[in-house]
């Protein structure tokens, strides 16, 4: 199946994360909602083949826009898909049958309420907790409730009049201890409702209040020598304590609220909106805003909240935001630091970040020049430069135990490696391992040559090292009259600190920033290029030093031998006749005698 060009671009920007995808037609009408462990792989699979199912083929032909919501886990993706399908009812989704929905625990709205699992959410005033993706957890909860709190499971109408008239009689459940007989007024409504209150707290995840009851039941079993039953209660308690009942996607503690977050760069801001209804995420939308007058995040977020709430006709009284904003007296603004609301804010921020990354990937594919211009503008701002660093050069020294000291200079243009401009240097004037003096020599030689040849100078020099190496490089720029004319910084490896001339306080960039990633790429390239050259020099010197030990063998003969035999080991294993053919009898005898002498020394 051929993929439409605009769809192909959207597929390239999808993240390899768990989440929910949504398909829209040309009129932006929602067609389909699905879940995925890996959004990119799952969504791409729709467009990579012709489907046997006619409905799917029709669906794929109608898709114009793909949207997605990134979540933390596959379980959250399952829950979010369930919520969105039920709330938005997309046309092409198969209606969720009873056996396809997730079960809830219901506290029935009736006198002497029953507690049971159900897949039908009926709005009759009953309380519902869940949904539960783990059947084991749901059954453990129900079993534990029954162990702790004997409740009725009959569906009798236990009205005051019916009980007074003696309409019902206790059943087997009463005789085996599973029910205390409210049908015959053997248990008061007050006592029964006290148990329901405790169960409600347990289902909300507030286990602390019930721990005393748990322990008491366990100790009672142990006192009665019922060790198996005591162990079973203990195991259930452990399961509940370890189970993370709280899901970011569905949380019964959180009622109807709106969640907003913002992620911005030099030119754009992205505001994500999550709508929470009855403890579940039912909508996600990201608004893209272009900065025009250097607006602050606070100003942009305030404007976006007003616009988004108006667009989706939201009337919630509480909003969750990353920082304080003024929305008037009627709306409560919450800036969470911990807990469930903070998890929702983090989810919103994650989706804003992924949306921004998607847009940047799209720009990089469709308009590479715009992408480069944005990166350069970002680097200029982040590094406090006077102009965009279109031409960057990075230096690194390489020496091991002071042998064969070399240095490397790598060049990036428009944020990308320009490998034809890479240069390496043998250190000529420095004896022993002295990184500072080596850096001083290399920087001087590099820019002395550029000046002599009239070549363009870089916009930014990066020195791989801290204050010492930066100071050494500055000495050379001073001598050449270039200090202050070229921006220069040093990067220390340990904490990725950036040092500036004359400033003792380093600059720390966001670990996820594109500017730091480009600087790290430069540093890693310089290190790789320098190490490769250093190894080559050591190998060459090792070969040369071995051959120079052979008396009567000059440079030309050595070169001839190495070109032919490639390595010292192979030369030593070669028969004398082969060497005679190449360099003559006299020199061949000297080479053979040398290797025989080396073998005797080893013995």
């Amino acid at each position: 199946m051929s993929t439409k060009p605009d769809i192909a671009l959207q597929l390239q920007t999808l993240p390899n994360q768990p989440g929910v995808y949504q398909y829209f037609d040309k009129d932006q009408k929602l067609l389909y909602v699905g879940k995925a462990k890996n959004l990119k792989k799952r969504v791409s699979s729709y467009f990579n083949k012709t489907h046997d199912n006619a409905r799917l083929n029709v669906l794929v032909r109608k898709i114009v826009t793909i949207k997605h919501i990134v979540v933390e886990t596959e379980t959250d993706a399952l829950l979010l898909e369930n919520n969105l399908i039920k709330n938005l009812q997309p046309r092409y989704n198969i209606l969720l049958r009873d056996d396809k929905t997730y079960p809830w625990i219901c506290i029935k709205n009736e006198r002497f309420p029953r507690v049971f699992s159900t897949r039908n959410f009926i709005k009759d005033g009953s309380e519902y907790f869940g949904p539960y993706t783990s059947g084991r957890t749901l059954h453990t909860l129900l079993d534990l409730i029954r162990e702790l709190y004997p409740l009725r499971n009959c569906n009798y109408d236990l009205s005051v009049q019916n009980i007074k008239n003696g309409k019902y009689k206790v059943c087997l459940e009463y005789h085996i201890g599973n029910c205390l007989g409210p049908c015959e007024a053997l248990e008061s409504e007050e006592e029964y409702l006290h148990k329901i209150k405790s169960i409600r707290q347990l289902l909300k995840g507030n286990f602390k209040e019930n721990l005393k009851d748990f322990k008491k039941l366990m100790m009672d079993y142990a006192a009665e020598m019922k060790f198996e039953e005591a162990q079973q209660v203990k195991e259930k308690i452990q399961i509940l304590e370890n189970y993370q009942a709280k899901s970011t996607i569905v949380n019964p503690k959180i009622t109807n609220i709106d969640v907003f977050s913002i992620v911005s760069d030099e030119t754009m801001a992205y505001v994500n909106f999550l709508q929470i209804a009855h403890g579940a995420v039912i909508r996600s939308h990201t608004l893209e805003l272009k900065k025009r007058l250097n607006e602050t995040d606070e100003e942009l977020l305030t404007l976006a909240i007003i616009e988004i709430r108006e667009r989706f006709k939201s009337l919630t009284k509480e909003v969750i935001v990353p920082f304080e904003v003024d929305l008037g007296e009627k709306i409560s603004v919450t800036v969470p630091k911990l807990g469930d609301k903070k998890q929702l804010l983090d989810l919103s921020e994650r989706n804003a970040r992924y949306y921004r990354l998607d847009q940047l990937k799209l720009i990089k594919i469709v308009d590479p020049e715009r992408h480069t211009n944005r990166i350069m503008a970002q680097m200029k701002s982040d590094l406090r430069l006077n102009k965009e660093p279109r031409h960057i050069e990075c230096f690194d020294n390489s020496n091991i135990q002071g042998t064969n000291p070399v240095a490397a200079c790598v060049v990036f243009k428009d944020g990308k490696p320009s490998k034809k401009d890479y240069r390496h240097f043998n250190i000529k004037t420095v004896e022993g391992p002295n990184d500072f003096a080596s850096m001083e020599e290399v920087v001087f030689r590099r820019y002395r040559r550029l000046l002599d040849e009239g070549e363009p100078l870089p916009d930014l020099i990066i020195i791989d090292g801290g204050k010492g190496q930066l100071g050494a490089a500055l000495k050379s720029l001073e001598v050449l009259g270039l200090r202050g004319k070229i921006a220069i910084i040093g990067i220390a490896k340990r904490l990725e600190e950036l040092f500036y001339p004359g400033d003792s306080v380093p600059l720390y960039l966001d670990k996820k920033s594109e500017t730091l990633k480009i600087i790290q790429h430069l540093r890693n390239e310089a290190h790789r290029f320098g190490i490769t050259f250093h190894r080559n020099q050591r190998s060459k010197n090792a070969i040369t030093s071995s051959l120079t030990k052979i008396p009567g063998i000059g440079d030309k003969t050595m070169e001839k031998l190495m070109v032919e035999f490639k390595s010292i080991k192979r030369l030593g294993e070669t028969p004398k006749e082969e060497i005679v053919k190449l360099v003559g009898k006299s020199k061949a005898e000297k080479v053979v005698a040398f290797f025989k002498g080396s073998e005797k020394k080893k013995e």
Side-chain angles (χ1 to χ4, degrees):
M1 177 179 286
S2 60
T3 306
K4 292 175 277 190
D6 51 344
I7 291 291
L9 285 174
Q10 292 181 63
L11 293 176
Q12 288 182 58
T13 64
L14 288 170
N16 294 301
Q17 301 291 327
V20 170
Y21 53 91
Q22 301 171 76
Y23 294 149
F24 294 84
D25 64 12
K26 59 183 175 60
D27 300 319
Q28 290 304 295
K29 184 177 179 181
L30 182 62
L31 297 171
Y32 186 81
V33 172
K35 66 182 180 301
K37 185 177 181 180
N38 183 311
L39 283 165
K40 193 181 189 84
K41 288 183 180 178
R42 182 71 185 99
V43 175
S44 297
S45 70
Y46 278 87
F47 302 91
N48 292 339
K49 60 183 179 181
T50 301
H51 301 278
D52 297 332
N53 188 313
R55 181 182 65 86
L56 271 178
N57 285 323
V58 174
L59 167 64
V60 171
R61 283 199 297 272
K62 288 187 174 185
I63 297 169
V64 171
T65 305
I66 303 167
K67 293 183 180 179
H68 62 271
I69 306 171
V70 177
V71 294
E72 189 70 33
T73 65
E74 194 176 0
T75 299
D76 279 350
L78 287 167
L79 291 170
L80 181 55
E81 179 202 33
N82 198 20
N83 298 335
L84 293 177
I85 289 171
K86 286 183 175 180
N87 282 279
L88 304 178
Q89 299 182 349
R91 181 179 174 186
Y92 280 86
N93 276 93
I94 298 172
L95 291 174
L96 287 173
R97 301 188 183 96
D98 284 351
D99 62 342
K100 294 294 183 184
T101 57
Y102 297 108
W104 303 72
I105 291 178
C106 173
I107 299 179
K108 193 68 175 173
N109 181 25
E110 59 191 357
R111 195 161 182 261
F112 297 100
R114 289 168 290 157
V115 179
F116 55 90
S117 67
T118 180
R119 295 179 188 272
N120 298 318
F121 198 113
I122 302 170
K123 295 181 179 179
D124 60 355
S126 298
E127 294 177 82
Y128 292 87
F129 298 86
Y132 294 93
T133 55
S134 168
R136 183 183 178 211
T137 301
L138 179 137
H139 293 303
T140 300
L141 274 167
L142 288 174
D143 287 348
L144 187 59
I145 288 168
R146 293 186 187 111
E147 291 272 8
L148 291 170
Y149 309 108
L151 301 173
R152 74 175 181 120
N153 58 15
C154 62
N155 57 3
Y156 295 153
D157 176 12
L158 300 185
S159 65
V160 175
Q161 194 63 39
N162 284 343
I163 294 174
K164 188 176 180 180
N165 294 339
K167 186 173 181 179
Y168 307 112
K169 298 293 180 184
V170 293
C171 61
L172 179 63
E173 292 293 313
Y174 170 78
H175 293 293
I176 62 177
N178 290 341
C179 174
L180 299 183
C183 58
E184 286 193 34
L186 299 174
E187 181 181 23
S188 71
E189 185 177 7
E190 184 182 354
E191 291 170 341
Y192 196 98
L193 289 178
H194 180 74
K195 291 190 292 187
I196 293 296
K197 182 181 178 182
S198 298
I199 292 168
R200 189 180 290 115
Q201 292 302 313
L202 187 148
L203 292 173
K204 286 182 177 180
N206 299 332
F207 299 124
K208 289 182 181 178
E209 294 183 13
N210 294 279
L211 278 176
K212 288 182 181 179
D213 292 338
F214 298 164
K215 290 177 181 176
K216 183 178 183 301
L217 180 63
M218 186 171 63
M219 297 306 292
D220 287 347
Y221 276 138
E224 295 170 14
M225 309 293 282
K226 296 180 180 179
F227 299 117
E228 287 186 12
E229 289 87 344
Q231 179 61 25
Q232 287 173 359
V233 174
K234 182 181 178 182
E235 288 173 359
K236 290 173 181 176
I237 292 169
Q238 288 172 341
I239 289 171
L240 287 168
E241 286 177 339
N242 295 331
Y243 173 65
Q244 299 299 313
K246 298 179 228 177
S247 166
T248 310
I249 304 306
V250 179
N251 194 318
K253 292 182 183 179
I254 299 175
T255 53
N256 298 350
I257 55 173
D258 291 344
V259 184
F260 295 92
S261 63
I262 184 168
V263 173
S264 66
D265 53 35
E266 287 297 297
T267 57
M268 302 294 295
Y270 306 88
V271 176
N272 178 262
F273 161 59
L274 295 180
Q275 187 175 5
I276 315 298
H278 307 294
V281 177
I282 62 167
R283 179 178 280 112
S284 175
H285 177 77
T286 302
L287 183 66
E288 191 173 344
L289 301 170
K290 186 173 179 62
K291 292 184 179 179
R292 301 185 185 281
L293 301 169
N294 294 322
E295 298 94 337
T296 64
D297 282 358
E298 287 81 357
E299 292 170 330
L300 291 169
L301 183 59
T302 303
L303 291 170
I305 290 173
I306 294 168
E307 181 179 333
I308 290 171
R309 282 172 62 88
E310 211 170 276
R311 181 186 302 185
F312 293 104
K313 297 179 173 56
S314 174
L315 300 174
T316 56
K317 300 298 183 184
E318 181 184 3
V319 298
I320 293 174
V321 287
F323 43 74
E324 289 289 345
V325 292
D326 184 6
L327 299 174
E329 295 179 359
K330 294 183 178 180
I331 300 175
S332 170
V333 175
T334 302
V335 183
K337 301 299 180 186
L338 295 167
D340 302 324
K341 291 182 178 180
K342 181 64 167 66
Q343 287 184 19
L344 283 169
L345 182 61
D346 291 343
L347 176 64
S348 177
E349 287 178 351
R350 190 182 306 121
N351 277 279
R353 284 198 304 273
Y354 274 107
Y355 185 91
R356 176 177 176 270
L357 287 175
D358 293 345
Q359 298 308 109
L360 297 182
K361 286 179 190 174
L362 201 59
I363 292 168
K364 192 173 182 179
I365 296 166
V366 177
D367 191 351
E369 187 178 345
R370 181 183 164 194
H371 171 74
T372 300
N373 292 341
R374 184 190 60 78
I375 292 282
M376 291 297 105
Q378 191 72 44
M379 289 191 74
K380 177 186 173 185
S381 172
D382 290 346
L383 298 176
R384 306 179 301 197
L385 304 175
N386 293 325
K387 63 177 180 177
E388 293 179 354
R390 296 278 176 170
H391 178 176
I392 308 174
E393 296 190 354
C394 180
F395 292 87
D396 181 37
N397 291 328
S398 296
N399 69 73
I400 300 175
Q401 297 176 345
T403 64
N404 307 106
V406 298
C409 170
V410 299
V411 180
F412 273 36
K413 291 183 176 176
D414 289 335
K416 297 175 184 176
S418 178
K419 295 195 175 183
K420 65 183 179 63
D421 296 313
Y422 285 16
R423 296 291 182 270
H424 51 237
F425 302 86
N426 285 309
I427 306 300
K428 297 178 179 178
T429 63
V430 180
E431 293 293 333
N434 187 331
D435 277 351
F436 298 161
S438 297
M439 186 63 73
E440 187 176 346
E441 176 192 325
V442 171
V443 171
F444 181 84
R445 285 168 57 190
R446 170 64 175 168
Y447 297 114
R448 174 76 273 169
R449 181 160 188 166
L450 290 186
L451 289 171
D452 289 344
E453 295 177 357
E455 294 292 325
L457 296 168
D459 302 310
L460 174 65
I461 298 170
I462 296 176
I463 304 299
D464 184 12
K467 295 178 184 178
Q469 283 92 336
L470 179 62
L474 280 167
K475 288 181 185 177
S476 293
L477 294 184
E478 186 86 56
V479 173
L480 294 168
L482 296 176
R483 182 163 182 173
K485 295 181 181 179
I486 306 175
I488 181 169
I489 59 175
I491 178 169
K493 288 185 178 73
R494 192 170 67 88
L495 297 173
E496 306 292 37
E497 301 163 310
L498 299 181
F499 290 96
Y500 287 76
D503 191 347
S504 60
V505 180
L507 172 70
Y508 295 93
L509 293 176
D510 186 330
K511 300 299 181 189
K512 296 179 181 178
S513 76
E514 291 170 296
T515 298
L516 183 60
K517 286 178 181 176
I518 289 175
I519 291 174
Q520 288 171 331
H521 190 186
L522 272 153
R523 193 258 314 279
N524 295 341
E525 270 291 277
H527 187 66
R528 178 196 63 78
F529 189 60
I531 285 291
T532 303
F533 180 55
H534 181 259
R535 286 172 181 160
N536 291 340
Q537 291 298 91
R538 286 176 63 206
S539 299
K540 183 179 175 183
N541 285 358
I543 291 168
T544 304
S545 61
S546 296
L547 290 174
T548 51
K549 292 176 183 177
I550 305 176
I553 300 297
D555 292 343
K556 288 187 178 179
T557 305
M558 284 192 291
E559 187 177 338
K560 202 171 185 179
L561 288 167
M562 292 315 299
V563 167
E564 178 67 23
F565 299 109
K566 309 298 183 188
S567 72
I568 296 292
K569 184 180 179 182
R570 185 181 290 178
L571 177 60
E573 294 171 350
T574 303
K576 179 180 175 182
E577 294 76 19
E578 294 285 323
I579 303 173
V580 169
K581 290 177 186 177
L582 189 65
V583 296
K585 185 178 180 182
S586 176
K587 290 179 180 177
E589 286 175 350
K590 291 176 182 177
V591 171
V592 172
F594 171 77
F595 281 109
K596 283 184 179 178
S598 298
E599 288 177 8
K600 285 180 181 178
K601 286 178 183 177
K602 289 179 184 177
E603 292 171 1

